[in-house]
């Protein structure tokens, strides 16, 4: 499956958008490290879905709009994005920060959303389940903390990195998630409004957001099913792509 | 030239091995802190600053740092208040209050105004953004640091100078009734100084004709000091005016002894502790996202090995990061730098790192008696 690589303009923000495959629309919302490349799980999903992979405002090659100040701005942006691209019946897949954005969208409006797949999402916290301090990690340490499989971490570290883009991503992540750290204290109050099926996917060995948060979310979101992957870290879609795609398509 | 005695009030008796093992004194667990030691140190350091008046310094200065052995002054208001009542002629400089860390900058306006009034108009107000590490400890979002700084500054200056009550509607701070009791004694308001590690954005802002604030380059190699002070002058020219020498300052650790060899011998251990234990912190802590522009951050990352490695006393002298020697050596060094840079303010840090009371006192006395008079005469 080949992906087109272009830009969509929504809310005055030039937004990089890769799109490939046929079927019902699936919107993938990336995490703090962005979505610089088309990954194997995206190719696999594109055999079943019309897969859309944007780079969030403030990330990668997308604009940094002045209006971008908090996570709610991105929730409204992506609701506008669905409307602007006339997408409906959307499978919304979000990982980490992207999972947080997906929940913030869904508590506001699910009229264009068919279901959610939340992959080790940020967005909530609970006593004893604090997120790791990603802003105090040295860059290499941060990558190693993402994976259980060390070979995957080393492969990621061996890839050439665009320093400007990684500083830009880090800046936007800080802007959105520095304080309160990686969560919205008001979100849990409204999670019951998510009235579409939700799959919660988490790696048992997640060193960024503890797996215990899956239960915290499952208690709040009426239609949630929890899928825990063994020997898996913070990025199940990257570390266990086959199992991950199975869960999405199931 | 106006000469200021500057103090950081470090936890000078820190367990150096523990600090080394932790990698930094920033965020060093406070099981390493002993209140009896701190009691002794606070009173020793306040004595040293009060002695600064006796020795004829133009100003004595305190500053703000949090959760670190680097400096025991989370509130410079407390130390400046103590000095306001124990001194009578010397100016008192708060360099500075970390504005973006405050949830309510009106408190800064009120506290500084109180000190200015109590001291009979001897306050110099410094404003800073706080060091990167403090955005970690306080949780304040560093990507809004510049915005909050500028907005807090606007609120404070308006609160000092305008008749109230008026409403302040900012993006980060909103106050329905601004109506200061007390407003400061100095009119239109106390002098404002801006200490900085060097940034174009800060210089553009401080040098603006509406402000013309005194810019202090802190603890940097002499070449870097010269570059930023020149940038300030050039920026002033760009705005269409010629910056006065009094708008420029340099803050630097100093150690004076009878001769060069004794000076180096006495200062080495304590200066190297200061530079290599107290000042050091990891890049991620020093420069959180948004604290500086991404361009500056990239430059720092390139120079990382040099900036984050240990520096010996000899290297520091070579770089002009430290001025140390006999009275003649120190005077000549400052004369030479002054001829090149024409800074109207010199801030000397006479106690640094682990430097004990007896050496600090001799240092202050020799500097004040044998170096300072000639420096004050420079014009």
């Amino acid at each position: 499956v080949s992906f087109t690589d272009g830009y969509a303009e929504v809310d005055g923000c030039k937004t990089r958008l890769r799109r490939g495959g046929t079927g019902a629309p699936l919107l993938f919302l990336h995490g703090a490290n962005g979505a610089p490349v088309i990954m194997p799980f995206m190719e696999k999903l594109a055999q079943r879905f019309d897969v859309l992979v944007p780079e969030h405002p403030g990330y990668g090659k997308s604009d940094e709009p002045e209006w971008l100040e908090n996570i709610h701005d991105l929730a409204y942006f992506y609701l506008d994005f669905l409307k602007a691209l006339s997408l409906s019946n959307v499978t919304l897949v979000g990982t980490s920060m992207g999972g947080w954005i997906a929940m913030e969208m869904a508590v506001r409006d699910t009229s264009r959303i068919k279901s959610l797949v939340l992959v080790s999402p940020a967005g909530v916290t609970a006593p004893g389940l604090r997120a790791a301090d990603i802003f105090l990690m040295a860059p290499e340490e941060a990558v190693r903390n993402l994976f259980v499989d060390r070979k995957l971490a080393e492969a990621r570290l061996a890839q050439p990195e665009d320093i400007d883009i990684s500083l830009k991503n880090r800046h936007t992540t800080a802007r959105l998630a520095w304080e309160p750290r990686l969560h919205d204290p008001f979100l849990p109050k409204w999670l019951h409004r998510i009235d579409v099926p939700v799959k919660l996917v988490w790696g048992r060995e997640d060193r960024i957001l503890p797996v215990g948060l899956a239960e915290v979310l499952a208690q709040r979101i009426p239609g949630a099913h929890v899928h825990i992957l063994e020997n898996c870290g913070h990025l199940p879609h990257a570390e266990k792509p086959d199992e991950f795609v199975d869960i999405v398509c199931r | 030239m106006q000469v200021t005695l500057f103090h950081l009030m470090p936890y000078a008796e820190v367990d150096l091995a523990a600090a080394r093992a932790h990698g930094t004194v920033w965020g060093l667990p406070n099981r390493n802190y002993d209140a009896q030691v701190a009691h002794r140190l606070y009173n020793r350091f306040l004595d040293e600053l009060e002695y600064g008046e006796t020795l004829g310094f133009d100003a004595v200065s305190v500053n703000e740092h949090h959760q670190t052995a680097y400096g025991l002054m989370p509130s410079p208001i407390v130390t400046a208040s103590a000095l306001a009542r124990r001194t009578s002629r010397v100016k008192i400089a708060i360099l500075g209050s970390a504005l973006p860390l405050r949830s309510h900058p009106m408190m800064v306006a009120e506290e500084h105004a109180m000190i200015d009034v109590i001291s009979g108009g001897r306050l110099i107000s410094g404003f800073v953004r706080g060091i990167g590490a403090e955005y970690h400890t306080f949780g304040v979002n560093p990507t809004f640091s510049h915005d909050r700084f500028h907005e807090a500054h606007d609120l404070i200056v308006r609160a000092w100078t305008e008749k109230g009550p008026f409403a302040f509607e900012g993006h980060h701070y909103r106050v329905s009734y601004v109506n200061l009791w007390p407003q400061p004694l100095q009119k239109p308001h106390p002098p404002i100084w801006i200490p900085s590690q060097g940034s174009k954005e800060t210089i553009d802002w401080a040098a603006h004709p509406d402000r013309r604030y005194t810019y202090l380059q802190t603890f940097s190699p002499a070449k870097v000091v010269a570059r930023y002070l020149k940038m300030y002058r050039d920026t002033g020219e760009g705005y269409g005016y010629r910056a006065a020498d009094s708008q420029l300052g340099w803050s630097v650790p100093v150690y004076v002894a009878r001769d060069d060899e004794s000076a180096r011998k006495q200062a080495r251990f304590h200066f190297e502790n200061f530079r290599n234990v107290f000042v050091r912190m990891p890049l991620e802590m020093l420069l959180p996202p948004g604290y500086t522009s991404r361009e500056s951050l990239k430059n720092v990352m390139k120079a990382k090995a040099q900036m984050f490695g240990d520096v010996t006393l000899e290297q520091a002298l070579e770089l002009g990061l430290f001025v140390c020697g006999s009275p003649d050596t120190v005077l000549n060094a400052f004369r030479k730098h002054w001829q090149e840079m024409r800074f109207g303010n010199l801030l000397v840090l006479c106690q640094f790192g682990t430097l004990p009371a007896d050496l600090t006192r001799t240092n202050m006395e020799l500097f004040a008696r044998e170096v300072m008079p000639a420096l004050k005469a420079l014009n």
Side-chain angles (χ1 to χ4, degrees):
Chain A
V1 181
S2 71
F3 279 72
T4 59
D5 189 352
Y7 288 88
E9 185 155 330
V10 177
D11 294 332
C13 174
K14 217 178 107 198
T15 310
R16 187 186 180 199
L17 176 62
R18 277 70 46 90
R19 189 167 186 173
T22 47
L26 182 151
L27 177 62
F28 175 76
L29 300 179
H30 64 71
N33 294 319
V37 296
I38 293 301
M39 296 168 71
F41 82 91
M42 296 172 185
E43 304 262 9
K44 288 193 173 76
L45 286 172
Q47 291 165 13
R48 292 276 298 271
F49 294 94
D50 170 15
V51 176
L52 294 96
V53 185
E55 286 181 318
H56 308 327
Y59 286 84
K61 293 178 179 168
S62 294
D63 281 353
E64 290 177 85
E66 280 198 12
W67 51 255
L68 182 60
E69 292 183 288
N70 58 52
I71 204 78
H72 306 150
D73 295 325
L74 278 190
Y76 290 114
F77 168 83
Y78 275 114
L79 289 171
D80 284 355
F81 177 96
L82 296 182
K83 194 172 171 189
L85 273 70
S86 302
L87 299 170
S88 55
N89 216 23
V90 175
T91 299
L92 188 55
V93 180
T95 167
S96 199
M97 292 272 293
W100 181 10
I101 298 165
M103 288 191 280
E104 297 278 2
M105 292 168 71
V107 297
R108 287 166 170 76
D109 180 7
T110 52
S111 61
R112 293 174 180 273
I113 299 171
K114 182 184 173 211
S115 67
L116 297 185
V117 182
L118 304 173
V119 191
S120 22
V124 299
T125 188
L129 298 172
R130 283 181 64 82
D133 195 344
I134 54 172
F135 296 109
L136 275 182
M137 291 175 192
E140 292 196 357
E141 183 192 7
V143 171
R144 293 203 171 96
N145 281 336
L146 293 174
F147 298 96
V148 169
D149 186 341
R150 285 190 189 169
K151 287 200 294 280
L152 289 174
E154 297 313 315
R156 169 84 56 113
L157 286 169
Q159 280 168 16
E161 190 199 29
D162 184 322
I163 184 72
D164 290 303
I165 284 181
S166 66
L167 290 178
K168 177 179 176 180
N169 292 350
R170 200 172 162 81
H171 183 101
T172 303
T173 301
R175 177 150 281 227
L176 303 174
W178 185 273
E179 203 281 325
R181 185 57 58 88
L182 287 168
H183 74 282
D184 170 1
F186 304 109
L187 178 60
K189 282 196 286 192
W190 303 108
L191 285 173
H192 65 269
R193 285 176 47 86
I194 302 181
D195 54 1
V196 295
V198 175
K199 293 168 185 164
L200 277 160
V201 186
W202 228 292
R204 177 82 67 197
E205 274 80 37
D206 192 327
R207 291 203 292 268
I208 307 295
L209 291 163
V211 66
L213 290 170
E215 272 314 311
V216 173
L217 283 170
Q219 280 164 20
R220 298 264 182 180
I221 303 174
H225 282 91
V226 178
H227 305 261
I228 307 291
L229 302 189
E230 304 297 332
N231 297 313
C232 181
H234 185 57
L235 308 176
H237 50 293
E239 191 147 20
K240 303 280 177 192
D242 293 335
E243 288 173 58
F244 175 74
V245 169
D246 275 354
I247 293 168
V248 176
C249 295
R250 213 178 280 167
Chain B
M1 186 193 291
Q2 180 168 261
V3 186
T4 300
L5 177 67
F6 180 52
H7 218 306
L8 286 168
M9 299 200 182
Y11 189 75
E13 294 175 31
V14 73
D15 178 344
L16 291 167
R20 278 275 188 191
H22 186 68
T24 169
V25 298
W26 295 82
L28 181 67
N30 60 9
R31 63 170 180 271
N32 294 285
Y33 161 87
D34 179 331
Q36 290 302 330
V37 172
H39 168 72
R40 214 169 53 236
L41 288 173
Y42 273 127
N43 287 286
R44 173 193 146 194
F45 294 155
L46 283 165
D47 287 348
E48 286 169 5
L49 284 171
E50 289 167 24
Y51 190 38
E53 174 170 76
T54 314
L55 289 174
F57 284 90
D58 296 299
V60 293
S61 167
V62 293
N63 85 342
E64 172 175 340
H65 285 297
H66 298 270
Q67 300 190 14
T68 174
Y70 176 80
L72 281 181
M73 286 187 279
S75 171
I77 304 303
V78 172
T79 40
S81 305
L83 292 167
R85 287 284 301 169
R86 295 277 298 172
T87 59
S88 53
R89 297 181 321 276
V90 74
K91 289 175 194 163
I92 299 164
I94 297 177
L95 299 173
S97 278
L99 302 187
L101 303 184
R102 295 289 189 115
S103 52
H104 214 317
M106 210 152 68
M107 279 293 286
V108 178
E110 292 171 335
E111 291 163 345
H112 282 227
M114 283 178 73
I115 296 169
D116 192 52
V117 176
I118 290 170
S119 67
R122 290 186 285 132
L123 179 71
I124 294 168
S125 271
F127 298 149
V128 295
R129 289 191 297 125
I131 210 160
E134 281 145 6
Y135 288 79
H136 289 277
T137 52
F138 263 60
V140 169
N141 193 322
T143 72
F144 293 105
S145 163
H146 281 287
D147 289 355
R148 284 169 69 94
F149 178 84
H150 292 144
E151 210 175 295
H153 160 272
D154 294 349
L155 170 56
I156 290 166
V157 171
R158 287 191 58 193
W160 279 347
T161 53
E162 291 182 25
K163 293 297 169 206
F166 65 87
F168 183 87
E169 282 295 336
H171 193 66
H172 298 279
Y173 304 108
R174 284 161 293 272
V175 188
S176 297
Y177 304 100
V178 184
N179 186 32
L180 229 60
W181 288 73
Q183 283 189 315
L185 193 144
Q186 296 181 79
K187 299 294 171 202
H189 57 72
I192 294 174
W193 289 10
I194 306 296
S196 169
Q197 285 269 48
S199 101
K200 190 180 177 309
E201 296 95 326
T202 302
I203 286 173
D204 281 346
W205 179 83
H208 190 278
D210 292 351
R211 288 177 282 271
R212 303 191 190 204
Y213 294 157
T214 294
Y215 173 85
L216 308 175
Q217 183 71 26
T218 60
F219 196 50
S220 312
K223 259 201 300 201
V224 175
V225 180
R227 191 199 316 147
Y228 283 111
L229 297 192
K230 180 174 184 306
M231 187 186 287
Y232 189 106
R233 287 191 193 278
D234 293 346
T235 306
E237 302 274 341
Y239 284 130
Y241 78 93
R242 220 178 137 211
D245 291 357
S246 62
Q247 283 170 261
L248 303 173
W250 179 18
S251 171
V252 60
V254 172
Y255 192 80
V256 193
R258 271 286 144 234
D259 55 74
D260 288 353
E261 204 194 318
S262 324
R264 289 179 191 208
K265 203 171 147 198
Q266 290 164 17
R268 177 183 310 280
F269 175 76
H270 306 292
F271 176 80
E272 290 179 358
N273 283 336
F274 173 64
R275 170 57 182 75
N276 301 330
V277 180
F278 285 78
V279 171
R280 176 196 303 274
M281 72 183 85
L283 177 66
E284 287 70 31
M285 198 181 267
L286 181 67
L287 299 173
Y291 182 78
T292 51
S293 70
R294 297 206 289 267
E295 239 7 79
S296 335
L297 184 53
K298 249 167 68 176
N299 291 334
V300 172
M301 289 166 82
K302 276 186 221 151
K304 191 174 167 184
Q306 189 199 337
M307 280 186 62
F308 293 84
D310 276 1
V311 170
T312 63
L313 178 122
E314 280 72 20
Q315 289 167 326
L317 292 176
E318 179 71 32
L319 287 166
L321 201 55
F322 180 40
V323 179
C324 169
S326 68
D328 274 353
T329 301
V330 169
L331 178 58
N332 287 336
F334 280 128
R335 254 204 200 114
K336 193 175 140 275
H337 289 307
W338 180 81
Q339 273 155 5
E340 192 191 338
M341 304 185 221
R342 300 276 165 158
F343 42 87
N345 288 284
L346 177 67
L347 290 85
V348 292
L349 187 69
C350 287
Q351 193 287 335
F352 38 82
T354 48
L355 194 73
D358 55 339
L359 296 184
T360 303
R361 225 154 239 263
T362 330
N363 182 24
M364 285 169 60
E365 287 166 352
L366 282 172
F367 177 85
R369 288 173 186 152
E370 301 191 24
V371 182
M372 189 159 71
L375 291 180
K376 284 194 184 191
L378 290 176
N379 225 322

